[in-house]
Amino acid sequence: MKSASVVKLGVNIDHIATLRQARQSLEPDLVAAAAVCRQGGADMIVCHLRQDRRHIQDADLFNLCAAKGRIHLELSAVPEMVAVALKAKPASACLVPESPREVSTQGGLNLRTQAKAVGRAVGKLKKAHIATSLFIDPEAANVRLAKSLGVDMVELCTSAYAQAEEKGRRAAELERLELAGYLVAEMGMTLHAGHALDYRNVRPIARIPHMAALNIGFAVVSRAMFVGLKTAVLEMKLLLS
Ligand code: PXP
């Protein structure tokens, strides 16, 4: 079993851009924010370039990719967004479902209905040497479909676990994640997880066997309001070890 101490932290900085966009300003500067996250122990910087450009802008992605450190991009599998990714060349990219009025990503990809579009996007990203991931709900069928599409990594959606208020429900959701995680590892893909993780619910997820990285945004940026960004990242990082 892999030790939990090696679980990496991807810090999603979308909501630092949300704050900047509230005033259509230059502050807070995202490249500077990314550097502070790294000082706090972030292993990679995550951002989601949405089709509606509600927070991260194309220029942010280009600036982040040109600066130091590993950038993990979240994007929809539509040709417009894949074309931007191919130009920016982040180290890795995760294809996610996207719908216009959602507040945040709502669950994983439906690989049964979207296999063609996702497969095309994966092919283009891989050709450009961008490591690819798919955001999926923790079910064996999704893991098998992800494998058949040739991705390097899978990010299991933790929303159902995070939102489960009742203890038994939460334990059942954790077990679903563990089982899917075993299959991801068995099929030779790297295991990531994320969405709605926070300082209270993250530890059991970090202890899932084979977990390589967790991608966390809202909780860290919210905490940063009180303790500063570097400390907020550091506190989360400590919970992963
Ligand atoms: N993983 C994926 C695929 C996401 O879409 C998001 C939200 O952008 C996250 C992780 C981070 O979620 P949260 O902001 O709730 O930590």
Side-chain angles (χ1 to χ4, degrees), residues 4-184:
S5 65
V6 297
V7 175
K8 289 192 161 54
L9 174 62
V11 175
N12 181 312
I13 60 172
D14 291 352
H15 295 304
I16 298 178
T18 301
L19 179 60
R20 183 198 58 199
Q21 293 308 102
R23 281 290 172 99
Q24 302 284 317
S25 168
L26 297 175
E27 301 287 340
D29 179 80
L30 287 204
V31 172
V36 173
C37 288
R38 278 197 301 276
Q39 285 165 16
D43 298 286
M44 61 184 175
I45 300 301
V46 186
C47 65
H48 183 175
L49 183 69
R50 296 185 64 99
Q51 290 171 83
D52 63 12
R53 309 302 200 271
R54 69 171 73 156
H55 36 53
I56 299 291
Q57 306 297 302
D58 296 47
D60 294 326
L61 176 63
F62 285 97
N63 291 339
L64 287 165
C65 288
K68 237 175 105 185
R70 181 179 164 176
I71 302 301
H72 180 72
L73 172 67
E74 294 170 1
L75 75 162
S76 156
V78 300
E80 179 211 343
M81 304 316 296
V82 175
V84 179
L86 296 181
K87 274 196 211 148
K89 284 197 180 290
S92 52
C94 181
L95 297 168
V96 301
E98 209 177 278
S99 68
R101 272 177 293 280
E102 68 189 3
V103 173
S104 182
T105 314
Q106 297 295 302
L109 289 162
N110 184 337
L111 292 178
R112 282 179 205 90
T113 59
Q114 289 182 288
K116 255 195 184 157
V118 172
R120 263 197 303 269
V122 168
K124 285 185 183 163
L125 293 166
K126 282 181 74 120
K127 216 167 150 191
H129 306 291
I130 298 170
T132 51
S133 179
L134 299 182
F135 187 53
I136 58 170
D137 291 319
E139 284 161 23
N142 291 333
V143 177
R144 290 197 186 93
L145 281 167
K147 179 68 185 172
S148 73
L149 292 171
V151 291
D152 309 285
M153 299 167 280
V154 151
E155 179 174 341
L156 298 179
C157 177
T158 49
S159 312
Y161 159 81
Q163 284 156 13
E165 284 171 12
E166 197 259 317
K167 222 171 149 191
R169 180 79 245 148
R170 184 168 283 209
E173 291 298 341
L174 181 60
E175 198 178 317
R176 276 179 75 205
L177 288 158
E178 284 168 350
L179 289 174
Y182 275 118
L183 192 56
V184 170

Side-chain angles (χ1 to χ4, degrees), residues 4 161 174 197-208 214 238-241:
Y161 159 81
L174 181 60
L197 294 177
D198 61 29
Y199 295 85
R200 275 167 302 197
N201 66 24
V202 75
R203 286 193 101 132
I205 301 296
R207 291 197 167 86
I208 289 177
L214 298 180
L238 288 174
L239 291 172
L240 305 196
S241 60

